[in-house]
Amino acid sequence: MEQWERSWQQICAMKKEDYILGNIQLVKDEILSSDEPIADHFRMQVIDNGRTLNAESLSEERISISPNENVGGAGGFARGMVEALDRGEATHILLMDDDVAVSPESIKRTFNLLRMVNDEYKEAFVSGAMLNYDFGEEQWE
């Protein structure tokens, strides 16, 4: 488990409350409340560029909401990565847009994949893609 001591999912949000609130609940229900190893190693951070989320009521032990100036996606992701690294807890960070639905199963599979990574691939990236719900046959990276 040394390769994956603590993982972070980071969402940079800008006024997409319906997606964010749903994703937070999915993470709580399917990851943090599970009896799988990921439950002890996962943390979710939302960088709220729109400052529209109630950080106090949504934040808890493994979920944090960080109100932020609207510095765009790159600025929000950069702030979140710096915060995660400053805490010294993150070994891996999953970056996710605010207008997608979380797939807890994908996160669990990525976690399990990274638990098996050997020295040859320890610096490699895992790339993801998203499906457009309106056009299910289109895939975006």
Side-chain angles (χ1 to χ4, degrees):
M1 185 67 80
E2 295 131 20
Q3 292 286 338
W4 187 301
E5 295 173 11
R6 183 75 62 204
S7 65
W8 287 58
Q9 174 188 15
Q10 185 185 110
I11 300 173
C12 184
M14 179 62 177
K15 299 183 180 181
K16 298 279 196 305
E17 293 84 357
D18 290 342
Y19 282 102
I20 298 301
L21 297 175
N23 287 335
I24 290 171
Q25 195 61 52
L26 275 171
V27 165
K28 283 182 183 181
D29 295 345
E30 302 294 325
I31 295 176
L32 299 177
S33 296
S34 76
D35 59 357
E36 298 176 52
I38 190 172
D40 296 326
H41 298 277
F42 189 83
R43 181 172 170 87
M44 180 179 197
Q45 179 178 21
V46 178
I47 304 299
D48 184 14
N49 278 349
R51 293 185 176 220
T52 57
L53 299 170
N54 186 331
E56 188 175 317
S57 70
L58 293 172
S59 295
E60 53 187 61
E61 182 182 355
R62 294 192 185 243
I63 297 175
S64 61
I65 311 297
S66 301
N68 199 38
E69 296 293 327
N70 184 9
V71 292
F77 285 131
R79 176 186 173 186
M81 288 186 281
V82 167
E83 285 183 7
L85 293 173
D86 282 349
R87 286 186 180 118
E89 297 176 334
T91 56
H92 296 77
I93 300 173
L94 168 65
L95 304 177
M96 197 174 95
D97 286 329
D98 61 353
D99 60 350
V100 298
V102 168
S103 170
E105 185 61 29
S106 293
I107 295 170
K108 290 176 185 180
R109 289 179 185 207
T110 303
F111 172 81
N112 287 319
L113 171 72
L114 291 172
R115 290 175 68 197
M116 299 184 292
V117 170
N118 61 27
D119 286 342
E120 181 181 357
Y121 294 102
K122 71 180 181 182
E123 299 296 324
F125 287 83
V126 176
S127 178
M130 60 184 175
L131 298 174
N132 184 328
Y133 281 119
D134 297 326
F135 305 98
E137 66 280 356
E138 290 184 15
Q139 189 173 21
W140 300 83
E141 289 188 27

